[in-house]
Amino acid sequence: MENSPGTLYIVATPIGHLEDITFRAINVLKQVSLIAAEDTRRTRILLNAYDITANLISYHDHNKERQGEKILQHLLSGKSVALVSDAGTPGVSDPGYYLINLAIHHTIPVIPIPGVSAVITALSASGLPSDRFCFEGFLPKKSNSRRKFIQSLRDEDRTLIFYESPYRIVATLQDFLDSYGERWVVVARELTKRYEEILRGALSDILKTLRGRKIKGEFTVLISSRRYTEKVLPLEK
């Protein structure tokens, strides 16, 4: 008689502050026999904080196909696995979708364990309209491709949300200013951590603030629609 497959749990983990994890997530991480982690070193810090002893396996964008097959066999043998990302919710701008689709294709139960997401965390504190928004992940690294992509969203009426590295944040905001003109923008970095910073204001003002600074930490960038900017900026000037 064949074993019933295990369950693949999609477990959201803190993006910074270790207390931003749910009781349910802790219980799941303690019960599974294997945890597939994008960065095992970061995940080990979390596991040690909550006395979680499950085995860890590396699963990231460069080994997702090879490791995905190993994890699949583990699930098919009847053992359950928790998928965690570098930080936040798996499947959002990370390779989690590949493993999730693999499990679905083999009729393995996939259960989400909700929690922190940098996108929603930044949006919740931004003050920008949140009834409709558009998340575009990481922008292209090459300047020409990035500018074309930014231009393609110029007339978007929803709040735009992106991820950006500290090395490109100034260049990216300048590209937005060149393509859109003045917009209301919110940039957030080090969310939930000791040096959390959320800057809100006109694009040109945020650029002045960031230029010349030694910047650390990945950014979540929110760009308002033109319609919202026209409502807000006259009040701020």
Side-chain angles (χ1 to χ4, degrees), residues 139 146 150 164 168-179 181 185-187 203-204 206-207 210-211 219 221-223:
L139 292 167
R146 185 172 63 244
I150 288 172
E164 189 53 282
R168 292 187 296 274
I169 184 64
V170 170
T172 293
L173 292 180
Q174 185 62 59
D175 288 342
F176 274 112
L177 185 60
D178 293 342
S179 295
V185 62
V186 178
V187 294
L203 252 173
S204 58
I206 299 298
L207 269 168
L210 293 179
R211 275 203 174 99
F219 280 83
V221 181
L222 301 95
I223 305 288

Side-chain angles (χ1 to χ4, degrees), residues 9 26 30 32 38 48 64 68 128 150 154 163 169 184 187 197 206 208 212 226:
Y9 293 96
I26 292 172
K30 286 184 175 181
V32 297
E38 190 176 7
N48 289 341
K64 63 180 182 288
L128 293 176
I150 288 172
R154 188 173 186 273
Y163 287 152
I169 184 64
W184 192 256
V187 294
E197 183 177 34
I206 299 298
K208 288 176 185 176
R226 181 187 298 170

Side-chain angles (χ1 to χ4, degrees), residues 10-14 17-30 46 50 52 112-116:
I10 314 304
V11 182
T13 55
H17 202 298
L18 291 182
E19 292 180 8
D20 291 335
I21 188 167
T22 67
F23 293 125
R24 187 183 179 201
I26 292 172
N27 288 334
V28 167
L29 293 174
K30 286 184 175 181
L46 175 67
Y50 290 99
I52 298 169
I113 309 298
V116 180

